[in-house]
Amino acid sequence: MSAAPEFKVLSLIPPMTQLNTPYPSTAYLTGFLRSREIAAVQEDFALALVLRLFSPSGLDQVLAACLALPEARRTGQVRHFITEFRRYRACITSLIRFLQGTDATLAHRIVTRFWLPEGARFASLEHYVDDGSGDPLHWAFGALGLQDRARHLATLCLNDLADVLRDAVDPRFEFVRYAEQLATSQPHFDPLADALAQAPNLLDDTLAALTREALARHQPQLVLLSVPFPGAVYAALRIAQTIKREFPGVAIALGGGFVNTELRELGEPRLFDFVDFVTLDAGERPLLALIEHVKGQRSRQRLVRTFVRDAESGEVRYQNMMEADVAFTEVGTPTWDGLPLGQYLSLLDMLNPMNRLWSDGRWNKLTVAHGCYWKKCSFCDVSLDYISRYEGASAEVLADRIQQIVTETGQTGFHFVDEAAPPKALKTLAQALIQRELGISWWGNIRFEKTFTPDLCQLLADSGCVAISGGLEVASDRLLQLMKKGVSVEQVARVTKGFADAGILVHAYLMYGFPTQTLQDTVDALEYVRQLFENGCIHSGFFHRFACTVHSPVGQQPADYGITLLPLPDGKFAKNDVGFLDPTGTDHDALGRGLKKAIYNYMHGNMLEEDVRAWFDEVKGKVPRPTVGRQRIAKALAERA
């Protein structure tokens, strides 16, 4: 009598997440399961899909799709691809190998601008500042930036090909936000259901082939689909569709950041035509219960934080037997075993020095602590588990994990993915890293609080910190207080200057459109930001538009912030963003364009002496003068000295 097959769990990263490094969710789950002696494997379909399509045989299929289009539907990018197809096909293998870091000398050929076929994406080079060198990239990379220059050009070529896929195969395709409009704050499942009912296109067929191969290779009893973003939902359900059709005995569970934020009130039974279970929040405890259930060792009623569809009524049920979460110190060490670490693509798309860290190079992602130690910011989802439940681990445990990961991967770069890494934990971790002489490089997100003294900044730099990012949000003391950030603009200036003086790249997350933010507030905020750049406090920044979410204090107590929420549409699927009425009536769209132009120039040292009002030329009416003195930040820094 043959033995029963080993119970195996397969965790999948659906397209699209990142191409330069694996999204960490499957690494965490796989490491945890193995620590509990459960057979677990993982695959990254985001990378696999791109590598299969961006190959000679893949481009052959893309060409067939282009030629099948009627002439009237062929965009300029598609026509360019057809014309230059032989060149694209001839260079694609070498281009991918170069972006994977295995053919560095190809940079010399790429920078000639004669080897790669150049489509519409290369037009962006014409908009770069001419510094008098005659080279449009000289301002960004300098005379010696051969590899950076070549990777930027190679990335533009890859983006050209992505545009061809979008124009000829699937208009929803993007490298990051793949079909995200089907899922983002989408109250109804109809858009996804309609898309999934359509005949499969080349992208769908390729994803189905990858799914069949992985299921045949691993033969799991349970598949975990981790969807961190709305742009991974459509592909995740296409994967599930293939499994349901061709491997009907395999159980499928859906989880991840998108589920944890947008599907907390899930009532849509049609989702369960594709998956069997939907789990919320930290995955370890629900997963252990789910495995016992699939094995027949636990009833459905005893599942933990899991949505299921009732077999008799067809309605969605939420099962949540109260069991303690697995402690952060006991979740084990993430493992990247099974993921092709040498095949990830180091892209250089955005020239923002902090944003490029997201797409450039392969970083081991690790969490210093679970949740946020501050958990007060009024725009943040502080009511949800990933923020509200704070748990740390000792420096020794973290250093052990880091050492184990370096041994496994052979790579010493780390991205600490905390919402805000706690300063005390970073201090003790830095001391442990220095004592063990681990020699890693790391970056992460923090709060700009006064605990980060110049001495601590230097200690972090000595331990390997190369960059930090933090939320300055709206650079206004009134609004920072309303946001409950717990910092002031002058305090941010002193903290960021300490990091900058230690040789650490500093990036500021900035926000506009917060409730009751006026035109005057925005002008003053930009003046503060100008001075922070001028005084060498920050090197990089990005303005994003405030969005009110149902799980944030603003979304839950709107009257406290002077706004009125718009009614949410009825629906049984996703719920996250919520519209609101702000009595100030400020035209934030016009302001946003000016803010983004200003930050782009400030990052390159341009127009730092100019009056900030010059950036708001699209604003109707008179733009008020800043009420902030032009030396405010300089004086704050002098007081510290």
Side-chain angles (χ1 to χ4, degrees), residues 314-567:
E315 295 180 351
V316 176
R317 306 288 189 198
Y318 184 56
Q319 306 294 345
N320 187 20
M321 182 174 180
M322 300 305 294
E323 292 187 19
D325 273 301
V326 177
F328 181 67
T329 55
E330 298 175 8
V331 297
T333 301
T335 178
W336 283 265
D337 179 49
L339 299 176
L341 298 185
Q343 296 181 29
Y344 283 86
L345 306 176
S346 188
L347 305 177
L348 187 43
D349 192 356
M350 299 183 67
L351 301 183
N352 178 305
M354 175 58 78
N355 286 346
R356 67 175 288 185
L357 288 177
W358 286 93
S359 61
D360 180 12
R362 210 204 70 71
W363 301 91
N364 299 308
K365 294 181 183 284
L366 190 67
T367 307
V368 174
H370 180 282
C372 178
Y373 67 97
W374 180 250
K375 55 188 174 189
K376 295 179 183 178
C377 298
S378 57
F379 55 83
C380 192
D381 292 340
V382 296
S383 63
L384 300 187
D385 176 80
Y386 80 99
I387 297 289
S388 64
R389 181 169 60 86
Y390 176 71
E391 281 187 75
S394 70
E396 293 304 309
V397 168
L398 294 172
D400 286 344
R401 290 176 181 174
I402 289 170
Q403 199 159 359
Q404 186 175 332
I405 291 168
V406 171
T407 300
E408 178 189 291
T409 66
Q411 295 170 321
T412 58
F414 282 81
H415 175 198
F416 296 150
V417 294
D418 301 68
E419 296 298 314
K424 290 182 179 179
L426 287 179
K427 179 178 180 179
T428 56
L429 176 58
Q431 292 168 336
L433 294 173
I434 294 169
Q435 183 178 13
R436 296 194 190 192
E437 299 181 344
L438 289 182
I440 69 167
S441 302
W442 63 269
W443 59 287
N445 198 49
I446 64 162
R447 292 181 63 253
F448 292 130
E449 61 172 73
K450 60 185 179 182
T451 310
F452 288 105
T453 63
D455 286 344
L456 178 54
C457 293
Q458 188 59 57
L459 176 69
L460 299 182
D462 292 343
S463 75
C465 180
V466 296
I468 58 97
S469 58
L472 175 53
E473 317 309 349
V474 177
S476 156
D477 285 335
R478 178 184 76 83
L479 290 174
L480 287 172
Q481 186 174 4
L482 184 62
M483 291 177 175
K484 298 181 174 61
K485 283 291 295 184
V487 299
S488 66
V489 176
E490 292 185 355
Q491 177 181 314
V492 169
R494 298 185 186 103
V495 171
T496 53
K497 184 63 171 172
F499 278 108
D501 288 347
I504 295 170
L505 175 71
V506 181
H507 174 86
Y509 290 113
L510 301 160
M511 181 187 295
Y512 67 100
F514 192 76
T516 72
Q517 183 177 353
T518 63
L519 174 58
Q520 183 70 66
D521 289 327
T522 304
V523 171
D524 289 348
L526 186 58
E527 174 60 24
Y528 274 125
V529 171
R530 183 195 68 78
Q531 292 183 35
L532 290 170
F533 275 103
E534 182 181 48
N535 287 277
C537 298
I538 61 177
H539 310 96
S540 171
F542 184 79
F543 274 103
H544 69 275
R545 178 73 176 265
F546 167 75
C548 182
T549 66
V550 296
H551 309 295
S552 68
V554 176
Q556 294 180 347
Q557 295 96 32
D560 293 349
Y561 301 89
I563 61 171
T564 303
L565 298 185
L566 298 175

Side-chain angles (χ1 to χ4, degrees), residues 134-155:
D135 176 1
L137 290 182
H138 186 272
W139 69 273
F141 302 119
L144 299 178
L146 176 71
Q147 292 294 323
D148 278 353
R149 187 190 310 251
R151 279 193 295 117
H152 183 56
L153 295 171
T155 302

Side-chain angles (χ1 to χ4, degrees), residues 25 42 191:
S25 55
Q42 59 187 327

